[in-house]
Amino acid sequence: MGTNTELLQGTLELLILKSIALGPLHGYGVLLRLQQLTRDTLQIPQGSLYPALYRLEHQGLVTFEWGESENKRRAKYYKLTAAGRKRLREEADYWQRLSGAIGLVLAAESSDL
Amino acid sequence: MQRLAAIRSFCRAWFLRRRMEREMDEEMRFHLEARIADLVARGLTCEDAEYQARSEFGGVLRAKDEGRDARGLRWVDDLGGDLRYALRAIRRAPVFTAAAVASIALGIGANTAIFGVLDLLLLRPVPVSAPHELVHVTTAGDRGDANSGSSNAPWFRKVASRTDLFSDAMLVKHDVHKIGIDGRVEPLTSQQVTTNYYQLLGVPALLGRTFVPSDRPETGGSPVAVISYDLWQRRFAGATNVIGASLTVDRQPYTIIGVAPREFSGLVVGWTMDVTTPLDTSKYDDARGWSTMPLIARVKPGVTPAQISAQLTPVLLRMSEGVTERFRNRYLKRVSVESAAQGLTDLRAAFSRPLRLLMGAVGILLLIACVNLAGLLVALNTARQHEFGLRAALGARPERIMRQLFAESALLAVLGAVPGVILGMAGGNRLLAVLPKFFGPVGVTVTADSRVLAFALVATVATTLLFGVIPAFQAARVNVSREVVRTNVPATATRVRIGRALVIAQCALSVVLVAGATLFLRTLLNLSNVDPGFDVGHVIAVTIDPAGTDYEGERLRGFQREMIDALRALPGVNHASVTTSSPFSGNIDGRRLSVPGFEPRDLDDATIQTNLVGPGYFDTLRLPILRGRAIDARDRPGTPAVAVVSESFANRYFGGLDAAIGRQFAIGRAQSAVTHEIVGVAREARYQTLREPSDRIVYVPVFQALNVRPESFEFVIQTAGDPSRAIALTRSALERLRPDAPILAIQTMTGVINGRLLSERLLAILGTFFAAVALMLAGVGVYGLLAYLVARRLPEFGVRVALGARPIEMMGLTLRENVMLAMIGCALGVGAAFAGLRVLDGLLFGLSPMDLVNLATAAGILTVVSLAAAIVPARRAASVDPLVALRQE
């Protein structure tokens, strides 16, 4: 796998929410932005991207409208709803706390005890 | 919010399915093409780029599937598949399907019918604000028989002043009045209410206004009326200028000020109060007079009926000091509080218990149908073991197979429930149609409204769960390797055990229903055989209500004399007379009595029933005079007051029939008492109920009575032939003579008695019907199980026959199984009936709920049915051909 890290279960939705929060994107755009933001260190399961988007849509966290892509083709652009924005804040908070806590544990040395 | 989004997304996916699929397609294709373009731009060849893009993406079909899943569509797709498969499966077993659908239809139909009626009379809240806060404050006597609402104005004011208990209180008096609109007069149900009526109920006027305090007649309010939506549509064609129009109530003019909303027709179940006018409470200011006038109050939160009763009973006792002891003991000893959330109805008191019992019976019936179906499905699914094994081998999980079987059960349930509900509503309306009309014009019907449909839905789901669970669990426990490899699998022992247990349960439940039904049948039979003491077969009673007419005093007596003569002159009429209380009219009156030299033990001992009768009364009813003479034409005004007394009267007060003749006693209280001389003794008769003789009756000449009030009375007529044919003749004679005679009803005495036995008759007829259906289902269950067992053991039987067993022994083998099932079922059923049928106490006549002969009869009937059901399988076992049977192996 080299530097290509696999995604933790359940984090794909959080990443999608965040990438859309920066501006409306179509599905492929989400992939590109995630690759760009992670500097290609994360393996994004492309096939799972769409079911994840539909789940978010089903929960009312994202909505969409049809627009035109950079190469003049019809594409479905996703954007966050108010509920999605709230969920993103909560999830990001949670993630920060969790990773901070895990970081603390991992950084622990015998002198800390 | 989020749930809303999910529903919206699901609906979109469901209704715009094709569009959703197309969009999904387009989106993923766009993704792949964009990726390919990017890769080509990085220098890959077209083929390599496409290959890499596709492999990065993974399975497109799987992604789409997950996409559908994300929108909650998966189960819809699966369900569709399950149902299509289920349809095929039940088509393969048409006989079973027909039996299943029919038994579910019967079960659900019977439940819908009884529930529909029960709901209308007992459960449905009236359409007012916060109906659960409404109570009917009634009074009750020593014996606990609550009156249908005795009250008067002083009592009402006392109750209404208790703001610690009630937020508001009102009086409601309803009756049929003669309503005139545009010169046409018709009798309509109307009510008089205190002016806070609509405000208390929270019912606004649809048009115009409701009453305000200044409408009170006591303070000189002008006569105003609110009419029903029905009347507004019927007589005013829904015109808005109805406000300000006038109508008459018993010839008094009123101005219409408002129209009530469509859904609100008053508080009395089944009555539409067409005209509502303010009640003049000053007419009821006499604290000694108590009228039937329901007192309805809205309770304060947290106040319980027990508190109200405890607080108000002392007040009632103080207030009722002025009335006769008997009346007080009978009706005014304590305050009883009933919920009025479901409105008021006399039908409730009479039919609440029978309806609840019938609901229980149909519940058991549905349970039997479920058990029956479960048993049949277990047997049927045995034949499909191979199929289930194959599916399991192909990767179906047990849950999947169970779901498939559940879909089949649900399909059967729905196929049965739809005709069941339709039949049920028709049956419910049939039942309502036979409820007594004299309780009021029953204008209610069972309709497909949300409550009935919700009940049917719950019943159907419960049915599906009940009969679907066991077979589904059974079938899902497949042994893959065995099922797939072997084609002819003997059923496992558990399967047979379950089948037996289900048949036993059915038998036991059927015994309970049959025992209940026979109890009711015998009760009805016993009551029909009771001799009421007079001739029933040839008598007609004509009920006349002169209230509201000018038939009073001498005019009334003149009318009665004239009518008796006219009726006697009719062809086919033997005798005719008049009475204030013909048998079972419910009008008999209690009066105080004093006998010289007799010291009454208690109040009841000094109270008798009086019946004012005309000459020829005893001949008309063929009520035998045992001593002395009957009341006849000699007993005119001015002659000495005489009386004919009943046997029990003579025995109680004079110690014998002969001793009573010529003796004197007084009727009435103190100074108003009138002394009568006994001229005859009549045979004991049953006046109020067939269940017991009426105690101590005094017959007084109606034409001697001085104080004549326009009370209701009956003409009684004895016909030579069939009395039902004389009804029309009598009516036309009456109308010819007095076109304005207020005839309430003309009935044959047989009809009157049948009406009195209505709840017994309903219980007997419906109970027998339900028991018969239960027996039929039990028979099908026994047949199904035995047929299955015989089919399974055919090879074994073949071997036995080949070894020399005689056919009769093969039959015995099968019947032994059957007898065992029936015996265990009967034993359990008799036990359950013994414990459960105690609830019938008080409804029966001439036998006890635990009557052993009855229980034995029920068990015997079930045994016969199960033996009949066993004949076909047993004969099949007896006629087994060893060669054929062995070849099957």
Side-chain angles (χ1 to χ4, degrees), chain B residues 337-539:
Chain B
V337 177
E338 291 160 13
S339 168
Q342 287 79 26
L344 309 171
T345 169
D346 295 332
L347 290 176
R348 191 173 296 146
F351 292 98
S352 155
R353 260 187 95 192
L355 279 174
R356 279 170 211 274
L357 281 174
L358 287 173
M359 198 71 227
V362 293
I364 295 179
L365 185 69
L366 189 59
L367 200 60
I368 294 176
C370 289
V371 174
N372 190 23
L373 281 178
L376 290 178
L377 272 177
V378 167
L380 198 72
N381 287 343
T382 313
R384 290 171 65 185
Q385 282 302 298
H386 183 63
E387 171 200 331
F388 300 141
L390 207 59
R391 296 185 71 178
L394 290 175
R397 282 166 300 162
E399 300 94 85
R400 195 67 195 72
I401 296 181
M402 275 170 63
R403 226 179 67 184
Q404 170 63 45
L405 288 171
F406 247 136
E408 291 178 26
S409 300
L411 187 64
L412 284 176
V414 169
L415 284 179
V418 170
V421 169
I422 295 169
L423 280 176
M425 285 186 303
N429 284 326
R430 202 58 216 98
L431 191 57
L432 278 176
V434 303
L435 289 187
K437 296 285 187 290
F438 55 82
F439 281 112
V442 178
V444 286
T445 51
V446 180
T447 50
D449 64 5
S450 54
R451 291 175 64 92
V452 171
L453 290 183
F455 170 81
L457 187 69
V458 169
T460 309
V461 170
T463 305
T464 312
L465 289 177
L466 273 173
F467 80 79
V469 162
I470 293 177
F473 266 97
Q474 271 300 305
R477 281 170 42 183
V478 288
N479 183 327
V480 176
S481 56
R482 205 182 62 193
E483 302 300 344
V484 178
V485 175
R486 296 178 50 182
T487 48
N488 191 6
V489 194
T492 56
T494 26
R495 226 178 283 284
V496 175
R497 269 205 299 278
I498 288 175
R500 282 199 186 114
L502 291 175
V503 168
I504 288 172
Q506 268 186 76
C507 291
L509 290 171
S510 308
V511 168
V512 175
L513 277 192
V514 172
T518 43
L519 283 175
F520 287 128
L521 267 182
R522 288 176 59 194
T523 292
L524 184 64
L525 208 65
N526 288 347
L527 283 171
S528 314
N529 286 339
V530 165
D531 176 10
F534 53 88
D535 177 43
V536 175
H538 295 93
V539 178

Side-chain angles (χ1 to χ4, degrees), chain B residues 376 496 499-500 503 780-790 817 821:
Chain B
L376 290 178
V496 175
R500 282 199 186 114
V503 168
V780 171
V782 170
Y783 168 80
L785 182 77
L786 289 181
Y788 162 70
L789 287 178
V790 168
E817 168 90 25
L821 290 176

Side-chain angles (χ1 to χ4, degrees), chain B residues 664-680:
Chain B
Q664 294 196 327
F665 66 96
I667 302 176
R669 289 165 67 83
Q671 59 271 58
S672 64
V674 177
T675 302
H676 292 257
E677 186 188 318
I678 299 174
V679 293

